[in-house]
Amino acid sequence: VLGALEHPDVPFDQLVKELKAHRDASRSPLVQAMFVLEKPHARTEASIAGFVLGDEGAEADLGGLHLSAFPVVTRTAPFELSLRMAEVGEGLSGALEYSTELYAGAKMEEMVRQLVGVLEQGVAQPGERVGKLALVTHEERQQLLKRGLGGPGKYPGEASIGQVFEQAVAWAPQAVAVTGGGKTLTYAELNRRAEQVARRLKAEGVGPEQVVGLLMERSVDLVEAMVGVVKAGCTYLALDPKLPAERLEYMLKDSGTRVVVTQAEWKGLAEGEGRDVVVLEEGAFAAEGGWAPVEVSAQAVAYVMYTSGSTGRPKGVAVTHQGVVRLVRESNYAAFSPDDVFLHWNTMMFDASTFEVWGALLNGARLVVSPPGLPSLADVARLIAEQGVNTVLATAALFQQLVDHQLEGLRPLKNLLAGGDAMPPVQAKRLLDTLPKTRLINAYGPTENAVITTCHTLQPGYDARTRVPLGVPLDGTDVYVLDEEMQPVPEGVVGELYTGGDGLARGYVGRPELTAEKFVPNPYGKQAGQRLYRTGDLARWRGDGSLEFVGRADTQVKVRGFRIEIGEVEGALESHPEVKAAAVVVQGEGAEGKRLVGFVVGGGRKVEVGEVRGYLEKRLPEYMVPSLLVEVEKLPLTGNGKVDRKALLAQVSEQGAGASSNYVAPRDETEQKLAKLWEELLGRGRVGIHDDFFEAGGHSLLATRLVARVQETFGVTLPIRTLFESRTVASLARAVSRPEQAASAPRSEIKRISRDSHRIKLSQLKPSSGSKTGGDSQS
């Protein structure tokens, strides 16, 4: 009946067939839990109740007939959970029967105590709303609240980022602070250059907490600018030049950015009405005069980072200095020191970069900056080996790839953190078994709580059959698992995860209504005015005191570590003039296997999918553009009128992952092997030699996998940029046959310009030195 309501357009016989095929024979087909309330006749209720509930020793006298209960021991449970209750005098008596294969006796006893507690509260407060009745006792409630409180921490909680950085400069001014792109700076040199940036910003009239845009590729120059901005007391907004121009302009205007620091080649992209552009070049800033340190509060906003928004607009999260300092200094999840070497390889649009840059610079450690663009797995392993890197933070998907293809390259690491999605258990166990000296940390946290909220350090001997927990809160961080009434839920019960403490962001830039919705008063705070952020993540407390992630309470998804609001992608699709309606679903499982699939309904004529993809690429970052676009006549609906996303996913499975209509078979062994690799990675039935990797569903993460597989199959090491320039099987086969040309070829400026020609004037570009990597933005 339920199936018929949810799928009204499906033929009945087909529906029955589907239900039979998916039925689990080990479970009751209709219900899994049963509740029975017995109401015996008033004359005999006291005696009969014992028989109803199966109480051993119960007796009854029915008009001369004396009855004695005979204990019956059952070895099977007809339902997973059965609660039988009977009215006895003024009260209730009951018995709980459960399947021992699914539930532990201690957990069932706890459930009975909770039920009794709720009933007692109801009797004592008959006018109270049911949702307000607590499932836990006062003592249990206090234990749960205490469990979520992070330690006080030893970090300098009242210091700004600039103040802590200056401490690191004083420790060892001649120690190397940052290196990359052939450029190396000591702490003293970085501090001096940052002061020059700060002095220039002051001359531009930028005041405290005013937003300064940093439109730059990943580089030592970008690090200089970041330090300069925070020393000036301003707020930085890091922007990737490869983002669509429309999105960049929106973020600059929405944040109120008046000054943009950029590199010469991006000057035209940074310009705009009411904005000043400062080009950061060698020797561009005057070094005369001293620098008077600016007093900056720890509660001031250090940076703004934009994330996907459910309303169709990205939203800027305002993160404080205190949140960053609490993230990396004197932490309870890892001990960082000046001997450490951090790798900065994540895009500045991803908050993992906050950990990388400030984790190094606020601890007197060394920061190694990966060249611009997306590094291959081999590039990462090479940087670790050549630069002595010992601390890396990767998305869960990239962690999986590194373990699968470059495990030995990770051997020098002391700290390996993975986050952004659920850590894959199989790869976690494999790394621990092979590299037991590497500290493997599962890091969880939203941007609204300064990158990391909880951590769990995995130990050798980890059982890969169990889900990797989120762990416990960082020092200075509070977490709560609450129900809809913001009451603590018992251990093992799913609730929404709330977080607060020193890492909490101030809110969303220019969005007071959204800030009020997501940042709510903390009913358990010790000080007035404390707030909690509603993460939207569903979690539960485990018996060992750690948190476990369960899912989402809304349509937000994580793909390749990036947070994506489905509503924003659907809104972009529906803004296309030829699209009448659109829906987006996530296909695949695991950190590495998930991808976005978009469905569009035309407004009259046939929708040109390639045109729609180009339209999206001008408005959304690469990771938000669906890997596959499918035109459908109409969007299937459930019985309550909502889009049936399961039915849409079924259509993808039936149609295959975008088979090409202009199929041309491989002509030689190299093309055959490459086509086979594409089919495996893209999940397609067949790949022709002229199919475009990215139009067929490929993305930057799959590109790194393909390059790794090419190396394994052909023994050829290709730069990632080769795949962005040789996007078909035929062209990639030529690159494989001539790897020395692909490796030495200069960056293709023409390819990149043609892709983004709507936003850059040719006269504003300088000839490339060949040291930068073109192509897709990093995931």
Side-chain angles (χ1 to χ4, degrees):
V1 172
L2 294 175
L5 290 174
E6 292 185 0
H7 305 281
D9 298 329
V10 177
F12 183 77
D13 56 347
Q14 179 182 338
L15 176 64
V16 173
K17 183 178 180 180
E18 287 290 324
L19 292 176
K20 285 183 177 180
H22 292 89
R23 175 182 168 183
D24 183 351
S26 66
R27 309 182 67 171
S28 174
L30 187 59
V31 295
Q32 287 76 52
M34 176 68 74
F35 173 68
V36 177
L37 176 62
E38 301 284 357
K39 301 186 68 174
H41 190 277
R43 185 171 62 86
T44 59
E45 64 178 8
S47 56
I48 293 298
F51 288 92
V52 172
L53 301 171
D55 291 346
E56 183 176 355
E59 296 188 357
D61 191 355
L62 302 177
L65 177 63
H66 184 76
L67 304 177
S68 297
F70 183 81
V72 177
V73 180
T74 58
R75 299 295 180 186
T76 59
F79 300 99
E80 294 176 9
L81 198 63
S82 300
L83 176 62
R84 301 177 67 88
M85 301 193 73
E87 295 182 4
V88 180
E90 294 283 323
L92 293 169
S93 182
L96 184 68
E97 183 180 72
Y98 60 92
S99 169
T100 56
E101 292 182 353
L102 299 174
Y103 302 104
K107 178 58 65 176
M108 293 298 97
E109 291 176 0
E110 179 185 350
M111 186 180 290
V112 169
R113 289 196 302 271
Q114 292 167 357
L115 174 60
V116 172
V118 167
L119 294 175
E120 288 176 341
Q121 292 175 68
V123 170
Q125 308 172 64
E128 184 61 273
R129 292 173 53 233
V130 174
K132 287 288 187 180
L133 303 178
L135 284 175
V136 295
T137 64
H138 177 73
E139 292 75 15
E140 291 171 333
R141 175 190 177 93
Q142 296 307 309
Q143 291 177 3
L144 288 167
L145 293 176
K146 184 178 180 180
R147 178 183 288 187
L149 300 180
K154 301 177 182 178
Y155 54 87
E158 296 305 317
S160 69
I161 294 174
Q163 290 171 330
V164 179
F165 171 73
E166 287 163 3
Q167 291 177 4
V169 175
W171 291 341
Q174 299 310 312
V176 174
V178 57
T179 183
K183 188 175 182 180
T184 297
L185 299 178
T186 65
Y187 270 88
E189 291 169 335
L190 176 59
N191 188 51
R192 184 170 59 254
R193 289 171 178 261
E195 288 178 352
Q196 292 176 9
V197 174
R199 187 182 299 110
R200 177 62 182 273
L201 292 175
K202 186 176 180 181
E204 292 287 339
V206 186
E209 288 200 14
Q210 289 188 330
V211 179
V212 175
L214 302 180
L215 185 65
M216 308 170 74
E217 290 188 308
R218 185 174 54 240
S219 61
V220 173
D221 289 349
L222 176 56
V223 176
E224 286 180 30
M226 289 172 61
V227 180
V229 171
V230 297
K231 287 176 74 70
C234 304
T235 300
Y236 67 84
L237 169 64
L239 299 167
D240 188 340
K242 295 185 181 67
L243 282 177
E246 184 177 307
R247 194 175 186 86
L248 285 172
E249 186 63 23
Y250 170 82
M251 290 189 287
L252 287 167
K253 288 184 176 179
D254 184 70
S255 61
T257 299
R258 192 174 62 79
V259 174
V260 179
V261 179
T262 187
Q263 294 156 317
E265 63 181 306
W266 310 114
K267 183 175 182 296
L269 191 58
E271 292 174 341
E273 185 178 352
R275 284 199 299 270
D276 295 328
V277 178
V278 175
V279 178
L280 186 63
E281 291 181 320
E282 195 72 31
F285 298 160
E288 302 88 29
W291 169 253
V294 177
E295 289 293 328
V296 181
S297 167
Q299 281 70 44
V301 177
Y303 68 87
V304 172
M305 183 166 288
Y306 276 80
T307 67
S308 180
S310 59
T311 62
R313 294 185 297 156
K315 53 187 183 291
V317 183
V319 180
T320 67
H321 287 252
Q322 186 179 54
V324 176
V325 173
R326 144 260 181 219
L327 169 68
V328 298
R329 276 295 300 269
E330 303 291 339
S331 65
N332 59 322
Y333 61 91
F336 303 123
S337 74
D339 296 328
D340 289 323
V341 182
F342 287 69
L343 178 61
H344 175 29
W345 65 311
N346 282 288
T347 171
M348 288 302 299
M349 301 295 295
F350 185 34
D351 60 4
S353 61
T354 302
F355 167 85
E356 295 169 341
V357 174
W358 299 119
L361 299 183
L362 300 192
N363 286 292
R366 180 158 60 94
L367 180 66
V368 175
V369 181
S370 173
L374 177 65
S376 68
L377 302 179
D379 290 337
V380 175
R382 178 181 52 78
L383 284 170
I384 291 173
E386 293 179 356
Q387 297 292 333
V389 172
N390 66 8
T391 300
V392 169
L393 172 58
T395 64
L398 283 170
F399 164 77
Q400 181 173 338
Q401 288 195 20
L402 286 168
V403 173
D404 286 343
H405 302 287
Q406 288 290 343
L407 183 57
E408 280 303 314
L410 304 178
R411 190 172 290 278
L413 295 184
K414 181 175 75 172
N415 304 301
L416 177 55
L417 296 85
D421 212 327
M423 177 181 282
V426 173
Q427 281 72 21
K429 177 175 174 54
R430 185 180 172 197
L431 181 132
L432 290 169
D433 290 346
T434 308
L435 310 176
K437 293 184 179 180
T438 299
R439 181 188 291 114
L440 179 59
I441 300 172
N442 186 30
Y444 159 83
T447 302
E448 288 83 350
N449 201 51
V451 188
I452 300 178
T453 298
T454 65
C455 278
H456 176 76
T457 301
L458 287 83
Q459 302 298 328
Y462 163 71
D463 185 355
R465 294 172 297 179
T466 61
R467 183 179 296 174
V468 180
L470 300 181
V472 297
L474 270 63
D475 286 343
T477 302
D478 304 334
V479 293
Y480 304 91
V481 184
L482 308 176
D483 62 17
E484 293 180 354
E485 301 290 340
M486 291 192 71
Q487 297 295 318
V489 299
E491 179 184 297
V493 175
V494 175
E496 183 175 357
L497 185 59
Y498 290 70
T499 181
D502 290 348
L504 200 64
R506 181 177 294 180
Y508 299 112
V509 176
R511 306 282 289 277
E513 72 294 338
L514 185 60
T515 299
E517 177 187 344
K518 294 296 185 180
F519 293 82
V520 298
N522 182 357
Y524 311 108
K526 296 181 181 179
Q527 300 176 8
Q530 289 184 316
R531 301 173 304 152
L532 294 175
Y533 170 64
R534 301 187 59 175
T535 68
D537 288 326
L538 301 178
R540 59 185 165 209
W541 287 111
R542 300 183 359 153
D544 60 4
S546 64
L547 282 168
E548 180 179 313
F549 176 76
V550 177
R552 285 290 302 178
D554 54 22
T555 60
Q556 184 188 114
V557 298
K558 285 287 186 73
V559 177
R560 291 178 273 151
F562 286 102
R563 190 167 107 181
I564 300 173
E565 295 284 358
I566 292 295
E568 184 175 359
V569 185
E570 291 177 341
L573 280 170
E574 290 177 347
S575 68
H576 189 280
E578 298 300 329
V579 175
K580 178 182 178 182
V584 176
V585 298
V586 176
Q587 184 187 37
E589 298 292 337
E592 188 183 22
K594 291 186 291 189
R595 66 172 184 170
L596 294 180
V597 180
F599 297 85
V600 294
V601 178
R605 66 180 181 87
K606 180 177 176 60
V607 176
E608 294 295 334
V609 173
E611 178 188 332
V612 174
R613 176 177 296 280
Y615 178 85
L616 292 181
E617 288 175 346
K618 295 178 181 179
R619 288 159 175 80
L620 298 175
E622 175 268 338
Y623 64 86
M624 291 181 67
V625 177
S627 298
L628 179 64
L629 289 173
V630 180
E631 184 180 11
V632 293
E633 292 184 3
K634 63 178 181 178
L635 298 177
L637 303 177
T638 63
N640 57 9
K642 295 183 178 180
V643 175
D644 191 337
R645 300 182 188 275
K646 291 182 179 180
L648 288 173
L649 278 175
Q651 290 187 35
V652 177
S653 301
E654 291 171 4
Q655 296 175 7
S660 174
S661 58
N662 299 314
Y663 174 77
V664 177
R667 299 163 295 186
D668 55 34
E669 184 179 1
T670 299
E671 291 182 347
Q672 289 174 358
K673 289 181 178 180
L674 286 173
K676 182 67 174 177
L677 292 179
W678 286 33
E679 290 167 3
E680 293 173 359
L681 291 175
L682 299 173
R684 289 183 47 169
R686 65 178 186 174
V687 169
I689 63 172
H690 300 309
D691 289 353
D692 186 294
F693 180 78
F694 296 98
E695 291 182 1
H699 48 68
S700 55
L701 186 58
L702 284 179
T704 63
R705 288 186 61 190
L706 180 56
V707 169
R709 294 290 300 276
V710 167
Q711 183 177 6
E712 295 169 0
T713 304
F714 299 98
V716 172
T717 301
L718 297 176
I720 284 286
R721 70 170 185 268
T722 302
L723 185 55
F724 293 98
E725 297 166 353
S726 303
R727 301 161 69 106
T728 67
V729 168
S731 59
L732 188 59
R734 290 192 291 271
V736 169
S737 301
R738 297 189 294 273
E740 68 287 346
Q741 295 183 17
S744 62
R747 171 183 173 180
S748 174
E749 285 293 326
I750 299 301
K751 182 69 176 180
R752 182 175 54 74
I753 293 169
S754 65
R755 178 177 172 181
D756 295 328
S757 58
H758 64 284
R759 70 183 192 193
I760 302 176
K761 296 180 181 179
L762 291 174
S763 60
Q764 294 168 335
L765 285 172
K766 289 187 174 181
S768 171
S769 64
S771 62
K772 298 175 181 177
T773 303
D776 237 8
S777 58
Q778 180 182 354
S779 66

